[in-house]
Amino acid sequence: MLTLGIDTSNYATSLAVFDTAAGEVVCDCKRFLPVKEGQLGLRQSDALFHHTAALPELLGELGKGADLTAIGAVGVSARPRPVEGSYMPCFLAGVSAAEAFCAAKGIPLVRTTHQQGHIAAALFAAQGARFFGQRELVFHVSGGTTDLLLCEGPDKIQCIGTSTDLYAGQAVDRLGVRLGFAFPAGAEVSRLAAACREPVRPKASVRGTSCSLSGLQNQCEALLAQGKSPEYTCKYCLLCVAETLRRMASAARKEEPGLPVVFAGGVMSSDVVRQYLTARMPDTYFVPGRFASDNAIGVSILAAREVGQWPTLSM
């Protein structure tokens, strides 16, 4: 069976097709929402409009890599997180498209959440089906979350740590926009950071498994005012995020020793962050950027799993 995943987040319109027999992603495509120069995001009404316009075009693109007539089930991110009251209008675009697709073909519709899609994509990229049936620590680090989650696969999720103020992705994007890059700016910030050869001593404000990142934006502004290069400032920003996550994970492992740590979310696609953490933390899993940033891959996998088509006994 082929399953279709649809995710319409506050950052990107994403589609993916998963082959349940092969246990692999057949194809996926994504389009970031257009944000005007200097702005740090979109109003929900504008995001909803852009998703509605992008979905038919992306379905056409997806159809070049997969036979959409063979789709047997559709998964869709219907809300941000699997908690009461979690809601964002931008996900309505994906839900409407998924409902129409399923009604026309008479196939199952699986509603999941953006966060569970992130987790599923990261677990799949890290260890295939194996991580879906055990406990692990998962970081979901993006423009809207800096969450440390105790998971039993994507089904049981307990938030055991978070930022009390600014999210990591917000700090990164604000610095990038300040430097003249388009939103979201994480890829450009990481590119500049990788070009810096100066040593950086990162700081972190962590208490147990919770953190504060509100001071990071001011610290970056101060570095630029002191004449530090954009490359140095970007490296400082990302390594402060990385050190923050390291300390949060260390605190969590004292309570949950021996658990692997998996990193998901757009900020975790940075090679600078990955290299810092993998050099300092054992049993740590980073996934390729294709699986780390906003995407529908995990949603398509969850659809396959929900209808009982993946994993199969042959796997």
Side-chain angles (χ1 to χ4, degrees):
M1 178 189 286
L2 298 182
T3 58
L4 170 66
I6 302 175
D7 184 78
T8 53
S9 74
N10 211 31
Y11 284 84
T13 312
S14 308
L15 301 171
V17 173
F18 184 72
D19 185 331
T20 64
E24 64 183 27
V25 181
V26 175
C27 59
D28 62 288
C29 56
K30 176 170 64 176
R31 181 180 299 175
F32 285 109
L33 302 183
V35 178
K36 292 181 180 179
E37 184 177 350
Q39 293 188 354
L40 290 166
L42 290 170
R43 293 180 300 178
Q44 282 293 297
S45 58
D46 292 333
L48 189 60
F49 169 80
H50 289 302
H51 283 311
T52 303
L55 279 166
E57 296 177 12
L58 288 179
L59 274 170
E61 181 181 331
L62 197 71
K64 297 176 182 178
D67 180 8
L68 298 185
T69 65
I71 297 295
V74 178
V76 63
S77 298
R79 52 196 180 119
R81 299 184 183 95
V83 296
E84 186 176 351
S86 180
Y87 170 76
M88 288 183 77
C90 59
F91 291 104
L92 294 176
V95 171
S96 296
E99 288 179 342
F101 195 102
C102 290
K105 289 181 61 63
I107 57 177
L109 172 63
V110 176
R111 294 171 182 262
T112 185
T113 69
H114 179 70
Q115 185 174 73
Q116 287 170 291
H118 263 303
I119 293 170
L123 297 183
F124 176 81
Q127 285 285 309
R130 186 168 74 86
F131 271 0
F132 281 72
Q134 67 178 65
R135 284 157 57 90
E136 55 272 317
L137 296 169
V138 179
F139 275 100
H140 182 196
V141 187
S142 67
T145 56
T146 304
D147 291 346
L148 173 53
L149 310 167
L150 177 60
C151 300
E152 292 185 30
D155 304 312
K156 296 181 180 180
I157 303 171
Q158 179 187 357
C159 184
I160 60 173
T162 190
S163 173
T164 58
D165 38 53
L166 196 68
Y167 296 126
Q170 289 177 313
V172 173
D173 283 329
R174 290 179 184 183
L175 173 59
V177 172
R178 164 73 171 77
L179 293 173
F181 298 119
F183 177 92
E188 295 297 334
V189 170
S190 187
R191 179 182 62 81
L192 285 186
C196 177
R197 297 293 177 260
E198 292 184 65
V200 169
R201 182 174 296 176
K203 298 180 180 179
S205 177
V206 176
R207 177 174 295 180
T209 55
S210 293
C211 69
S212 171
L213 292 164
S214 60
L216 182 54
Q217 182 180 0
N218 293 334
Q219 293 165 20
C220 291
E221 288 286 349
L223 289 173
L224 292 172
Q226 293 165 16
K228 287 291 187 180
S229 69
E231 290 81 2
Y232 180 93
T233 306
C234 288
K235 184 177 181 180
Y236 177 83
C237 180
L238 289 177
L239 292 191
C240 284
V241 169
E243 176 61 15
T244 296
L245 302 182
R246 187 195 68 79
R247 295 189 190 184
M248 292 171 69
S250 178
R253 277 178 158 173
K254 291 179 181 178
E255 301 296 325
E256 300 286 344
L259 293 188
V261 181
V262 181
F263 290 95
V267 178
M268 296 297 95
S269 60
S270 167
D271 288 341
V272 174
V273 174
R274 176 181 56 80
Q275 291 167 8
Y276 182 91
L277 288 172
T278 53
R280 293 162 175 80
M281 292 176 59
D283 204 11
T284 301
Y285 295 85
F286 275 78
V287 300
R290 177 190 180 199
F291 294 87
S293 60
D294 283 12
N295 60 70
I297 291 174
V299 178
S300 68
I301 294 169
L302 289 175
R305 189 166 174 261
E306 185 67 22
V307 298
Q309 295 296 312
W310 182 86
T312 62
L313 292 177
S314 61
M315 295 177 183

